[in-house]
Amino acid sequence: MRLISKLIATFVALSLSVQPAMAQSVLRDAETEAVLQEMAAPLVAAAGLEPGNVDIVLINDPSINAFVAGGQAIYIHSGLIDAADSANEVQGVIAHELGHITGGHIIRYGEGMQEATGISLLSLLLGVGAAVAGAGDAGMGVIMAGQRAALGRFLAFSRVQESAADAAGAEYLSKAGISGKGSLAFFGKLQNQAMRYGYSQSDEVAFNQTHPLSAERITRLREDYVVDPAWEAETDPALEGKFQRIKAKLYGYLTEPKRTLNAYPESDQRVEARYARAYAYHKSALIDQALSETDALLKVDPKDPYFLELRGQVLLESGKPDEALPALREATERSGFEPLIASIFGHALIATENRENFDEAERVLRAAVARDRYNPFAWYQLGVVYAARGDMPRARLASAEQQVMSRRYTEALRSAQAAQAGLDEGTPDWLRAQDISFQARAELERMRDRK
């Protein structure tokens, strides 16, 4: 029984590896999300999907990876953005992941699992039969051979899916008029990484991989890319500039300040370098230097909402919410009331502790959650406003919204029930509290069933 348990555990681990988003933190930034969506838009259209219906979600993970986990969402690790040298490389990854979505590979994942498990169970029965007949060694050999065959069948199934996604990705790049050079360059990075870690590129290693070997993928895809009319297409310089901005911004936000300042020294006067240094100084509590960098950025473009947002963020998080308000108000307006930026503005209004600002904070935050319900930070801030006014039922409802998104279902159930008790039955808020109660209760029951 230990052998079959080990095999099942292997399959479970593999199945979980395609759905790690729930266990990892999501990074949200208005500018980054906008740029990733702009990069993906032509590929989404080429894949025959509705524009705006594919989400690009950034995961805080230093490894070089991207995946889909059901639905129309592509999860990209922060490490992949850091490793990519160009927007074109990331577009190659997005095209590949779109191939998984259009191919329904997550839905079909169970087919490979079922077939492999069937082989393993059959070998187990045959092995037990041989053992009962007195051939214990032979029975163990049958079980071990079955385990290997089952795992091999599953891995082969996975490699077929990856190859299909490669082919679909190449097709979408071509239809979108985007060069495959970035795709090949990124596979080259994966190949170099494998070699650095000492992974062999032998047939034996290939048999035990969920993905085809990078060298094989490069060879196969190059044949299609070099003859494609889009092969020599250049990335739009404006889009490339936006990508370099968000890459530096992400680096400055996540990396140790000392490393950031080494990577982007003072001698580097590019916009992306100033972006990275502003975060490095801010994280080091060097507020004057951080503001100096944001002011330099605003000289480049005084109306850029993301530069304004950064200046307001530095001031707010440095304990100066009153000084942050003008920049954040303008950033909110110039971004068209982008929900993430509006959430920071609402937080700054509350942080002034001036009750005269609370009406504006409520308007801003309600507008933010109306456009983006999946924003726990905005719901928390809205709850603070309601609680300050003594409107505890709506404060409880805001808490329930935040808690259910954070998968804290027990707390969400309590908060939603408390909100229902204090709200007028049948009103929109009462109905929403009821919906959260149903959702939280259902999730808790599922968790109990799994245990």
Side-chain angles (χ1 to χ4, degrees), residues 212-239:
L213 294 176
S214 296
E216 294 177 4
R217 302 170 88 173
I218 291 170
T219 300
R220 185 168 58 249
L221 287 170
R222 183 180 292 277
E223 296 175 359
D224 295 328
Y225 286 143
V226 295
V227 298
D228 188 85
W231 175 249
E232 296 297 339
E234 296 291 335
T235 302
D236 177 10
L239 181 62

Side-chain angles (χ1 to χ4, degrees), residues 70-382:
Q72 293 189 172
I74 296 172
Y75 298 86
I76 295 179
H77 285 198
S78 56
L80 188 149
I81 301 296
D82 185 48
D85 290 322
S86 68
N88 188 218
E89 290 185 17
V90 179
Q91 285 179 310
V93 173
I94 292 172
H96 171 88
E97 298 304 330
L98 285 169
H100 282 305
I101 292 174
T102 57
H105 290 169
I106 295 300
I107 297 172
R108 296 188 59 213
Y109 189 80
E111 297 175 16
M113 289 283 290
Q114 185 176 12
E115 184 177 3
T117 303
I119 293 172
S120 182
L121 290 174
L122 178 59
S123 68
L124 175 64
L125 292 174
L126 292 173
V128 170
V132 170
D137 291 343
M140 185 61 69
V142 170
I143 293 173
M144 293 181 67
Q147 179 185 12
R148 173 111 175 129
L151 185 57
R153 180 64 63 90
F154 176 79
L155 294 174
F157 177 86
S158 177
R159 289 193 296 273
V160 168
Q161 287 194 325
E162 292 298 329
S163 295
D166 284 348
E171 177 187 345
Y172 303 151
L173 287 167
S174 177
K175 285 183 178 180
I178 297 172
S179 174
K181 290 180 180 179
S183 175
L184 293 182
F186 202 81
F187 279 130
K189 284 185 169 66
L190 296 178
Q191 183 181 23
N192 291 337
Q193 184 186 51
M195 294 174 67
R196 280 200 307 273
Y197 289 136
Y199 295 135
S200 168
Q201 302 291 291
S202 67
D203 291 340
E204 174 66 18
V205 169
F207 177 83
N208 291 295
Q209 294 279 335
T210 56
H211 293 56
L213 294 176
S214 296
E216 294 177 4
R217 302 170 88 173
I218 291 170
T219 300
R220 185 168 58 249
L221 287 170
R222 183 180 292 277
E223 296 175 359
D224 295 328
Y225 286 143
V226 295
V227 298
D228 188 85
W231 175 249
E232 296 297 339
E234 296 291 335
T235 302
D236 177 10
L239 181 62
E240 183 62 35
K242 292 176 184 178
F243 171 73
Q244 295 301 332
R245 271 175 57 162
I246 66 167
K247 177 179 175 177
K249 186 178 190 179
L250 187 64
Y251 190 89
Y253 178 76
L254 293 176
T255 308
E256 291 281 340
K258 184 177 180 179
R259 288 182 57 197
T260 300
L261 295 174
N262 285 334
Y264 296 95
E266 288 283 355
S267 58
D268 189 343
Q269 299 296 297
R270 295 174 301 157
V271 165
E272 52 263 39
R274 290 192 179 280
Y275 237 153
R277 287 199 299 271
Y279 277 100
Y281 289 137
H282 181 39
K283 288 166 66 176
S284 301
L286 299 172
I287 307 308
D288 289 342
Q289 289 94 319
L291 290 174
S292 175
E293 295 292 355
T294 62
D295 289 344
L297 290 171
L298 285 166
K299 284 182 181 179
V300 175
D301 186 352
K303 298 180 181 180
D304 189 304
Y306 306 119
F307 295 163
L308 289 162
E309 178 196 18
L310 177 57
R311 189 175 200 283
Q313 181 183 353
V314 170
L315 288 167
L316 171 62
E317 294 175 359
S318 302
K320 301 178 179 179
D322 289 287
E323 295 180 38
L325 291 182
L328 290 174
R329 181 178 283 110
E330 187 175 356
T332 301
E333 292 169 354
R334 291 194 178 281
S335 68
F337 276 76
E338 201 288 327
L340 293 176
I341 297 177
S343 298
I344 299 175
F345 177 39
H347 173 43
L349 287 164
I350 296 168
T352 64
E353 299 182 355
N354 182 348
R355 288 181 175 271
E356 294 181 1
N357 289 330
F358 280 23
D359 285 344
E360 184 178 11
E362 182 182 357
R363 288 196 304 272
V364 168
L365 291 166
R366 285 182 70 88
V369 297
R371 295 181 60 182
D372 181 5
R373 293 196 70 86
Y374 301 101
N375 188 340
F377 178 75
W379 281 114
Y380 175 80
Q381 296 300 324
L382 194 55

